[in-house]
Amino acid sequence: MSTKLSVGQAVPDFTATATGDQTFTLSAERGKNLVIYFYPKDSTPGCTTEGQEFRDAISAFEAANTRILGVSRDSLRSHENFKAKQSFPFDLISDPDESVCRLFDVIKLKKLYGKEHLGIERSTFLIDADGRLAREWRGVKVKGHVEEVLAAAQSL
């Protein structure tokens, strides 16, 4: 069941396992903005760069009352290692069953070396303090992306 989220709509509540032995629940985040970015795989070049750029802008996001979360299908253990190695000041959600990915409709047919497979399309979602989808970016190119997301968060 894939419901298409649209901008301005309330994001359905969900719970997921995150780094730091946490259970993340969307409804518990009311009152602050939330950036949820989906990326294909821990410790790959593009995903590392994207995470580092979010990391380097963390104080600006915090000043804009915005929490950052990364999501991929990698295991919690892989996430903990990736987070520690890159000194990410935000948590990563492990979504091995793709329930969060499907909620945001980011599982897409991708081509790698001529073979097709289902994978995460790099995407970012900005949820406002009332739990509504404020902005979405799909098929993200890493360069310049974090600045764009920050500007949108600051405008909320």
Side-chain angles (χ1 to χ4, degrees):
M1 110 170 188
S2 174
T3 47
K4 183 82 175 83
L5 285 175
S6 43
V7 171
Q9 183 187 0
V11 177
D13 199 18
F14 68 90
T15 299
T17 309
T19 48
D21 212 17
Q22 296 181 63
T23 299
F24 170 83
T25 302
L26 180 63
S27 56
E29 298 297 315
R30 291 283 192 279
K32 64 171 69 118
N33 305 318
L34 192 60
V35 167
I36 300 181
Y37 78 95
F38 290 83
Y39 63 96
K41 191 145 184 50
D42 288 346
S43 303
T44 55
C47 301
T48 300
T49 300
E50 184 178 24
Q52 289 168 337
E53 291 184 3
F54 275 115
R55 175 196 67 202
D56 296 346
I58 191 72
S59 55
F61 277 102
E62 286 170 349
N65 190 33
T66 304
R67 180 176 179 190
I68 298 169
L69 282 164
V71 182
S72 84
R73 298 182 297 188
D74 293 303
S75 70
L76 219 43
R77 198 167 128 224
S78 172
H79 275 355
E80 292 288 5
N81 292 339
F82 186 39
K83 181 182 171 183
K85 187 172 181 201
Q86 300 302 329
S87 305
F88 291 157
F90 49 83
D91 288 301
L92 302 175
I93 288 176
S94 175
D95 190 31
D97 67 355
E98 300 176 353
S99 59
V100 182
C101 291
R102 294 196 185 283
L103 175 66
F104 287 90
D105 191 32
V106 298
I107 299 292
K108 303 290 179 194
L109 197 59
K110 299 168 85 174
K111 266 197 164 93
L112 184 66
Y113 307 119
K115 286 191 169 56
E116 289 189 335
H117 69 283
L118 285 173
I120 293 178
E121 176 184 54
R122 191 182 306 280
S123 307
T124 302
F125 300 87
L126 176 61
I127 300 169
D128 70 18
D130 297 323
R132 297 190 179 285
L133 184 61
R135 287 279 308 269
E136 64 177 14
W137 294 264
R138 293 179 181 274
V140 166
K141 301 282 175 266
V142 174
K143 190 163 174 40
H145 176 61
V146 169
E147 292 89 340
E148 203 179 312
V149 176
L150 178 59
Q154 289 167 331
S155 75
L156 288 180

